[in-house]
Amino acid sequence: MRSLLIATVVMAIVSPSHAQSLPGGFVYLRDIDPSIIQDIRYATSNNFVGRPLAGYGAGECVVKREVGLRLKAVQQELAAQNLSLKMFDCYRPARASLDMVKWSQNGHETAAERRYNPNIPKTELFRLGYIASRSQHSTGAALDLTLVDLKADNSGSYDPSKTYADCTAPVAMRAPEGSVDMGTGYDCTDAKGHTAVTSINPEQRTWRKRLVAAMARQGFVNYSKEWWHFSLPGAGGAAYDFPIQPRRN
Protein backbone atom coordinates (compact mmCIF):
# COMPACT_ATOMS: atom_id res chain seq x y z
CA MET A 1 0.00 0.00 0.00
CA ARG A 2 1.19 3.50 -0.75
CA SER A 3 -0.18 4.96 2.44
CA LEU A 4 -0.58 3.71 6.01
CA LEU A 5 1.61 5.32 8.58
CA ILE A 6 3.22 3.39 11.46
CA ALA A 7 6.58 3.13 13.10
CA THR A 8 9.83 4.92 13.58
CA VAL A 9 12.35 4.49 10.79
CA VAL A 10 15.35 2.41 11.83
CA MET A 11 18.28 2.93 9.48
CA ALA A 12 19.59 -0.58 8.94
CA ILE A 13 21.60 -0.34 5.75
CA VAL A 14 22.89 -3.63 4.36
CA SER A 15 25.82 -3.51 1.95
CA PRO A 16 25.60 -5.46 -1.33
CA SER A 17 28.39 -7.78 -0.15
CA HIS A 18 26.16 -8.92 2.70
CA ALA A 19 22.88 -8.94 0.81
CA GLN A 20 21.78 -12.26 2.32
CA SER A 21 22.30 -11.10 5.92
CA LEU A 22 18.80 -9.77 6.36
CA PRO A 23 18.13 -8.05 9.70
CA GLY A 24 15.32 -8.38 12.19
CA GLY A 25 13.99 -11.82 11.25
CA PHE A 26 13.48 -10.94 7.57
CA VAL A 27 13.60 -13.66 4.90
CA TYR A 28 13.28 -13.96 1.15
CA LEU A 29 9.83 -15.35 0.40
CA ARG A 30 11.35 -17.63 -2.27
CA ASP A 31 13.18 -19.43 0.53
CA ILE A 32 9.87 -20.10 2.26
CA ASP A 33 7.67 -20.89 -0.77
CA PRO A 34 9.11 -20.58 -4.30
CA SER A 35 5.70 -21.43 -5.81
CA ILE A 36 4.26 -18.02 -4.91
CA ILE A 37 4.39 -15.82 -8.01
CA GLN A 38 6.26 -12.54 -7.68
CA ASP A 39 5.91 -9.34 -9.72
CA ILE A 40 7.58 -6.75 -7.51
CA ARG A 41 6.44 -3.69 -9.35
CA TYR A 42 8.52 -1.04 -7.58
CA ALA A 43 11.67 -2.77 -8.83
CA THR A 44 10.51 -2.04 -12.41
CA SER A 45 9.19 0.84 -14.50
CA ASN A 46 5.69 -0.68 -14.44
CA ASN A 47 4.34 1.37 -11.54
CA PHE A 48 2.77 4.76 -10.86
CA VAL A 49 6.16 6.50 -10.63
CA GLY A 50 7.32 5.03 -13.93
CA ARG A 51 10.75 3.87 -12.75
CA PRO A 52 12.29 1.65 -10.05
CA LEU A 53 12.01 3.19 -6.59
CA ALA A 54 14.97 3.90 -4.33
CA GLY A 55 16.11 0.81 -2.45
CA TYR A 56 14.68 -1.73 -4.89
CA GLY A 57 17.86 -3.36 -6.16
CA ALA A 58 16.05 -6.59 -7.01
CA GLY A 59 12.52 -7.80 -7.68
CA GLU A 60 12.40 -9.96 -4.57
CA CYS A 61 9.69 -10.25 -1.93
CA VAL A 62 11.26 -9.85 1.51
CA VAL A 63 9.07 -10.38 4.60
CA LYS A 64 9.23 -11.24 8.28
CA ARG A 65 9.57 -15.02 8.71
CA GLU A 66 6.17 -15.40 10.39
CA VAL A 67 4.54 -13.54 7.51
CA GLY A 68 6.27 -15.81 5.01
CA LEU A 69 5.13 -18.97 6.78
CA ARG A 70 1.54 -17.77 6.83
CA LEU A 71 1.70 -16.88 3.15
CA LYS A 72 2.91 -20.42 2.51
CA ALA A 73 -0.19 -21.74 4.31
CA VAL A 74 -2.44 -19.50 2.18
CA GLN A 75 -0.70 -20.71 -0.96
CA GLN A 76 -1.19 -24.37 -0.01
CA GLU A 77 -4.93 -23.77 0.38
CA LEU A 78 -5.13 -21.93 -2.94
CA ALA A 79 -3.14 -24.57 -4.82
CA ALA A 80 -5.96 -27.06 -4.27
CA GLN A 81 -8.21 -24.62 -6.17
CA ASN A 82 -5.74 -24.12 -9.05
CA LEU A 83 -5.01 -20.62 -7.75
CA SER A 84 -1.85 -18.85 -6.64
CA LEU A 85 -0.89 -15.72 -4.79
CA LYS A 86 0.95 -13.05 -6.76
CA MET A 87 3.04 -10.56 -4.80
CA PHE A 88 3.25 -6.96 -5.99
CA ASP A 89 5.09 -5.50 -2.97
CA CYS A 90 6.34 -6.82 0.36
CA TYR A 91 9.00 -5.17 2.54
CA ARG A 92 9.56 -1.62 1.30
CA PRO A 93 12.72 0.31 2.23
CA ALA A 94 11.85 3.55 4.01
CA ARG A 95 13.77 5.47 1.36
CA ALA A 96 11.26 4.22 -1.23
CA SER A 97 8.39 5.86 0.64
CA LEU A 98 10.32 9.14 0.68
CA ASP A 99 10.96 8.66 -3.04
CA MET A 100 7.18 8.47 -3.57
CA VAL A 101 6.68 11.72 -1.67
CA LYS A 102 9.35 13.48 -3.74
CA TRP A 103 7.70 12.19 -6.93
CA SER A 104 4.31 13.55 -5.88
CA GLN A 105 5.85 17.00 -5.43
CA ASN A 106 8.05 17.17 -8.55
CA GLY A 107 5.67 19.44 -10.47
CA HIS A 108 5.20 17.09 -13.43
CA GLU A 109 2.38 14.70 -14.27
CA THR A 110 2.34 12.46 -17.32
CA ALA A 111 -0.51 10.56 -18.94
CA ALA A 112 1.11 7.29 -17.88
CA GLU A 113 1.11 8.44 -14.26
CA ARG A 114 -2.53 9.47 -14.46
CA ARG A 115 -3.44 5.89 -15.35
CA TYR A 116 -3.10 5.15 -11.65
CA ASN A 117 -4.73 8.35 -10.40
CA PRO A 118 -7.42 9.15 -12.96
CA ASN A 119 -9.43 11.46 -10.71
CA ILE A 120 -6.88 12.82 -8.23
CA PRO A 121 -3.92 15.08 -9.12
CA LYS A 122 -0.63 13.65 -7.88
CA THR A 123 -0.06 16.80 -5.81
CA GLU A 124 -3.05 15.79 -3.66
CA LEU A 125 -1.97 12.20 -3.00
CA PHE A 126 0.16 13.02 0.05
CA ARG A 127 -2.44 15.32 1.61
CA LEU A 128 -5.18 12.75 1.11
CA GLY A 129 -3.11 9.99 2.66
CA TYR A 130 -2.54 7.86 -0.45
CA ILE A 131 1.20 8.45 -0.09
CA ALA A 132 2.95 8.68 3.26
CA SER A 133 6.55 9.26 4.29
CA ARG A 134 6.30 6.20 6.56
CA SER A 135 4.73 2.91 5.56
CA GLN A 136 3.80 -0.29 7.36
CA HIS A 137 5.49 -2.08 4.47
CA SER A 138 8.82 -1.01 5.95
CA THR A 139 8.18 -3.19 9.00
CA GLY A 140 7.99 -6.33 6.87
CA ALA A 141 4.43 -7.10 7.95
CA ALA A 142 2.47 -5.52 5.07
CA LEU A 143 1.90 -6.88 1.59
CA ASP A 144 0.36 -5.97 -1.76
CA LEU A 145 -0.92 -8.99 -3.67
CA THR A 146 -3.57 -10.57 -5.86
CA LEU A 147 -4.75 -13.96 -7.15
CA VAL A 148 -3.76 -15.83 -10.28
CA ASP A 149 -6.03 -18.42 -11.88
CA LEU A 150 -3.53 -21.08 -12.94
CA LYS A 151 -5.99 -22.49 -15.49
CA ALA A 152 -6.28 -19.17 -17.35
CA ASP A 153 -4.06 -17.65 -20.02
CA ASN A 154 -1.77 -15.34 -18.03
CA SER A 155 0.70 -14.70 -20.82
CA GLY A 156 -0.15 -11.03 -21.33
CA SER A 157 2.70 -8.74 -20.29
CA TYR A 158 3.18 -5.01 -19.83
CA ASP A 159 4.47 -3.17 -22.91
CA PRO A 160 5.89 0.29 -22.05
CA SER A 161 5.44 1.39 -25.66
CA LYS A 162 1.66 0.91 -25.55
CA THR A 163 -0.97 3.38 -24.39
CA TYR A 164 -3.28 1.75 -21.85
CA ALA A 165 -6.55 2.96 -20.38
CA ASP A 166 -6.63 4.01 -16.73
CA CYS A 167 -6.78 1.56 -13.86
CA THR A 168 -10.58 1.72 -13.57
CA ALA A 169 -11.25 0.73 -17.20
CA PRO A 170 -12.40 -2.75 -18.30
CA VAL A 171 -9.66 -5.34 -17.89
CA ALA A 172 -9.09 -5.73 -21.66
CA MET A 173 -8.18 -2.03 -21.87
CA ARG A 174 -5.94 -1.84 -18.80
CA ALA A 175 -2.27 -2.78 -18.63
CA PRO A 176 -2.13 -6.59 -18.29
CA GLU A 177 -1.21 -7.97 -14.87
CA GLY A 178 -1.42 -11.73 -15.46
CA SER A 179 -3.97 -12.19 -12.70
CA VAL A 180 -7.71 -12.41 -12.10
CA ASP A 181 -9.84 -9.33 -12.76
CA MET A 182 -10.32 -7.57 -9.42
CA GLY A 183 -12.20 -4.65 -11.00
CA THR A 184 -9.21 -2.28 -11.05
CA GLY A 185 -5.52 -2.56 -11.64
CA TYR A 186 -3.01 -2.67 -8.80
CA ASP A 187 -2.26 0.64 -7.03
CA CYS A 188 -5.42 2.25 -8.39
CA THR A 189 -6.08 5.46 -6.47
CA ASP A 190 -9.83 5.52 -6.93
CA ALA A 191 -13.02 4.63 -5.07
CA LYS A 192 -13.27 1.51 -7.25
CA GLY A 193 -10.11 0.29 -5.54
CA HIS A 194 -11.92 0.18 -2.19
CA THR A 195 -12.33 -3.48 -1.30
CA ALA A 196 -16.08 -3.56 -0.68
CA VAL A 197 -17.14 -1.10 -3.40
CA THR A 198 -20.36 -2.05 -5.19
CA SER A 199 -19.60 -0.37 -8.53
CA ILE A 200 -17.79 -3.44 -9.88
CA ASN A 201 -19.41 -6.54 -11.32
CA PRO A 202 -20.39 -9.64 -9.30
CA GLU A 203 -17.47 -11.76 -10.56
CA GLN A 204 -14.96 -9.08 -9.57
CA ARG A 205 -16.55 -8.80 -6.12
CA THR A 206 -16.36 -12.59 -5.76
CA TRP A 207 -12.64 -12.61 -6.50
CA ARG A 208 -12.03 -9.89 -3.92
CA LYS A 209 -14.01 -11.82 -1.32
CA ARG A 210 -12.07 -15.01 -2.05
CA LEU A 211 -8.77 -13.21 -1.61
CA VAL A 212 -9.83 -11.51 1.62
CA ALA A 213 -11.22 -14.76 3.04
CA ALA A 214 -8.13 -16.80 2.19
CA MET A 215 -5.83 -14.23 3.77
CA ALA A 216 -8.08 -13.80 6.82
CA ARG A 217 -7.87 -17.53 7.59
CA GLN A 218 -4.17 -16.97 8.28
CA GLY A 219 -4.73 -13.80 10.31
CA PHE A 220 -4.11 -11.17 7.64
CA VAL A 221 -6.22 -8.00 7.70
CA ASN A 222 -7.21 -6.12 4.56
CA TYR A 223 -7.02 -2.33 4.26
CA SER A 224 -10.53 -1.26 3.21
CA LYS A 225 -9.40 1.36 0.67
CA GLU A 226 -7.06 -0.96 -1.23
CA TRP A 227 -8.23 -4.46 -2.19
CA TRP A 228 -4.60 -5.55 -2.70
CA HIS A 229 -3.19 -4.48 0.69
CA PHE A 230 -2.93 -6.80 3.69
CA SER A 231 -1.05 -6.76 6.97
CA LEU A 232 -0.40 -9.20 9.80
CA PRO A 233 -1.13 -7.57 13.17
CA GLY A 234 1.67 -7.92 15.69
CA ALA A 235 4.28 -9.07 13.18
CA GLY A 236 5.74 -5.67 12.37
CA GLY A 237 7.57 -3.46 14.86
CA ALA A 238 10.14 -0.90 13.82
CA ALA A 239 10.50 0.20 10.21
CA TYR A 240 13.70 -0.49 8.26
CA ASP A 241 15.59 1.06 5.37
CA PHE A 242 17.93 -1.69 4.17
CA PRO A 243 17.94 -2.04 0.35
CA ILE A 244 16.49 -5.10 -1.37
CA GLN A 245 19.38 -6.97 -2.97
CA PRO A 246 19.40 -10.01 -5.29
CA ARG A 247 18.87 -13.30 -3.52
CA ARG A 248 21.79 -15.71 -3.83
CA ASN A 249 20.89 -19.31 -4.71
Side-chain angles (χ1 to χ4, degrees):
M1 169 185 117
R2 292 194 226 165
S3 56
L4 239 36
L5 23 113
I6 304 192
T8 310
V9 174
V10 175
M11 303 301 286
I13 307 295
V14 178
S15 70
S17 62
H18 297 86
Q20 299 300 105
S21 301
L22 299 175
F26 285 90
V27 296
Y28 286 92
L29 182 60
R30 291 191 202 277
D31 291 333
I32 300 291
D33 191 337
S35 75
I36 297 175
I37 300 168
Q38 297 189 29
D39 180 13
I40 308 303
R41 298 278 288 275
Y42 297 147
T44 74
S45 62
N46 184 17
N47 58 59
F48 68 95
V49 176
R51 57 170 172 75
L53 288 176
Y56 282 83
E60 290 286 348
C61 175
V62 173
V63 291
K64 287 294 184 71
R65 179 174 294 277
E66 180 184 2
V67 173
L69 292 173
R70 294 197 186 213
L71 287 173
K72 180 181 179 70
V74 175
Q75 181 77 347
Q76 289 174 337
E77 176 188 338
L78 293 173
Q81 306 168 52
N82 287 307
L83 299 172
S84 173
L85 292 174
K86 184 173 190 175
M87 313 306 298
F88 287 133
D89 195 31
C90 303
Y91 159 73
R92 180 186 305 163
R95 69 189 73 181
S97 295
L98 296 177
D99 199 6
M100 291 179 182
V101 174
K102 288 173 61 179
W103 165 85
S104 72
Q105 300 171 344
N106 66 13
H108 304 286
E109 189 159 25
T110 67
E113 292 171 349
R114 289 304 298 271
R115 286 196 294 110
Y116 295 87
N117 317 299
N119 299 305
I120 302 175
K122 64 188 287 186
T123 54
E124 293 293 293
L125 296 177
F126 185 77
R127 183 182 67 82
L128 295 174
Y130 288 103
I131 292 177
S133 57
R134 296 176 181 176
S135 170
Q136 193 177 9
H137 279 277
S138 300
T139 73
L143 310 156
D144 294 344
L145 48 80
T146 190
L147 291 175
V148 174
D149 181 352
L150 298 176
K151 305 186 303 299
D153 178 4
N154 299 303
S155 60
S157 59
Y158 172 72
D159 182 346
S161 69
K162 288 187 175 180
T163 300
Y164 296 105
D166 73 59
C167 59
T168 67
V171 65
M173 300 171 64
R174 303 195 305 259
E177 295 187 332
S179 55
V180 303
D181 180 11
M182 291 288 189
T184 75
Y186 167 56
D187 252 353
C188 189
T189 305
D190 189 85
K192 288 182 71 174
H194 296 186
T195 308
V197 71
T198 59
S199 58
I200 56 176
N201 69 45
E203 183 178 8
Q204 294 162 345
R205 291 199 298 272
T206 296
W207 280 122
R208 291 189 187 191
K209 289 176 181 178
R210 289 182 72 173
L211 176 59
V212 170
M215 295 294 286
R217 282 190 282 275
Q218 289 299 322
F220 291 98
V221 176
N222 173 249
Y223 176 53
S224 64
K225 292 185 178 181
E226 297 179 349
W227 60 257
W228 54 86
H229 178 86
F230 294 83
S231 58
L232 184 62
Y240 286 78
D241 190 43
F242 63 89
I244 301 170
Q245 300 287 358
R247 168 182 167 272
R248 292 199 298 266
N249 295 325

